[in-house]
Amino acid sequence: MSEIVTRSAIVTGGGKGIGRAVCLALAEQGVNVAVNYAGSQSAAEETAALCQEKGVQAMAVQADVAQADQVEALFAKATEAFGRLDILVNNAGITRDNLIVRISEEDFDAVLSTNLKGAFLCCKKAARLMMRQRTGRIVNISSVVGLRGNPGQANYCASKAGLIGLTKSLAKELSSRHVTVNAVAPGFIDTDMTRVLPEAARDAILSQVPLGTFGHPEDVAAAVAFFASEQAGYITGQVLCVDGGMAM
Ligand code: NAP
């Protein structure tokens, strides 16, 4: 009889918004979850408690994904607690929107550091563990604006387009070890990140959504959970838009 293995995940920025929905969707599949956060400790602890209610192990782990030493500590805590790592979801992300002539170097660096370098640092750690295990799932949260561009978001779009290049390169690099790497590209999802936009900007975006509504974090989480599942083992290097038809 083959041994039943409980799979384990790290979800960066897992405390709230899309990240929380991803944690809960994975917990629903029986996956143990390390809920990473940068500053929102109580939200991350609440997410971990909600995962535990689904019968899995879960814990909140503080780490700024842009800092290599903190990423190192995040992976050490997760693997020490769960004994293995099967799934990495690079979800942590920030915006510092402005027109190109007004984007400061600091705001460009901050967005690239969190959204792209953070994912790189986490992928590097996960790749070592998963290659050794000869199985693994990496899912990167990109964005439709990484495919289409968006005025006022050059730094954010560059980071999200970069994630797609990272995804495809790693998909090719890690395929021989049965590690899949895919990206989910959400459109406009109702979270803290988008609630700060003025009403007029929200209306303008909504007019570009063929399905006529904003998405919910659970819509994105369902796609992530699929890529993370055992059933998705023959799918790698893909970018799945969860956007109400925006990018087609
Ligand atoms: P959100 O509610 O603002 O969540 C962002 C998450 O990222 C938070 O949990 C935050 O944790 C975490 N985070 C930020 N900087 C971090 C760092 N340096 N280290 C670790 N964690 C960090 O936004 P969301 O909409 O759920 O966004 C989740 C992901 O989806 C992001 O990558 C975003 O770019 C992407 N996305 C969102 C939309 C949308 O319409 N909402 C569309 C396309 C793509 P703390 O609060 O602890 O800092």
Side-chain angles (χ1 to χ4, degrees), residues 26 67-68 99 121 123 140 154 186 189 196 202 209 238 242:
L26 294 176
Q67 305 296 328
L99 297 172
L121 291 171
C123 284
N140 295 321
I189 310 298
V196 295
R202 290 169 66 94
V209 182
Q238 300 304 303
V242 179

Side-chain angles (χ1 to χ4, degrees), residues 7 12 17 38 135 155 166 171 174 184 187 210 220 240:
R7 298 191 308 149
T12 68
T135 178
N155 49 358
L166 183 73
L174 305 180
V184 173
V220 180
L240 179 58

Side-chain angles (χ1 to χ4, degrees), residues 13 16 18 36 38-40 64-65 91 93 142 156 160 187 189 191 194:
K16 58 187 186 131
I18 292 170
N36 160 250
S40 308
D64 174 351
V65 293
N91 166 78
S142 178
Y156 182 76
K160 294 300 183 178
I189 310 298
T191 67
T194 46

Side-chain angles (χ1 to χ4, degrees), residues 51-180:
C51 290
Q52 286 163 3
E53 282 173 20
K54 294 181 183 293
V56 299
Q57 292 180 57
M59 59 180 183
V61 187
Q62 200 279 332
D64 174 351
V65 293
Q67 305 296 328
D69 55 339
Q70 296 187 32
V71 167
E72 186 85 30
L74 163 66
F75 276 71
K77 280 181 191 150
T79 50
E80 192 184 318
F82 304 142
R84 52 186 291 122
L85 180 74
D86 302 280
I87 300 160
L88 166 67
V89 182
N90 284 308
N91 166 78
I94 59 169
T95 51
R96 295 277 190 278
D97 296 350
N98 224 326
L99 297 172
I100 186 69
V101 290
R102 296 204 194 112
I103 296 179
S104 65
E105 225 178 299
E106 192 188 353
D107 281 350
F108 186 85
D109 288 346
V111 169
L112 270 287
S113 293
T114 298
N115 299 9
L116 186 55
K117 184 182 163 194
F120 152 72
L121 291 171
C122 291
C123 284
K124 192 169 166 172
K125 288 296 300 175
R128 276 190 204 284
L129 293 164
M130 291 175 178
M131 284 196 294
R132 213 177 300 139
Q133 279 173 193
R134 297 193 166 267
T135 178
R137 302 274 185 271
I138 297 175
V139 185
N140 295 321
I141 307 298
S142 178
S143 168
V144 288
V145 301
L147 293 164
R148 300 193 342 164
N150 200 27
Q153 287 199 305
N155 49 358
Y156 182 76
C157 296
S159 72
K160 294 300 183 178
L163 274 177
I164 292 173
L166 183 73
T167 299
K168 293 187 177 191
S169 299
L170 295 190
K172 289 182 175 171
E173 241 177 83
L174 305 180
S175 56
S176 65
R177 308 295 177 97
H178 309 288
V179 177
T180 68

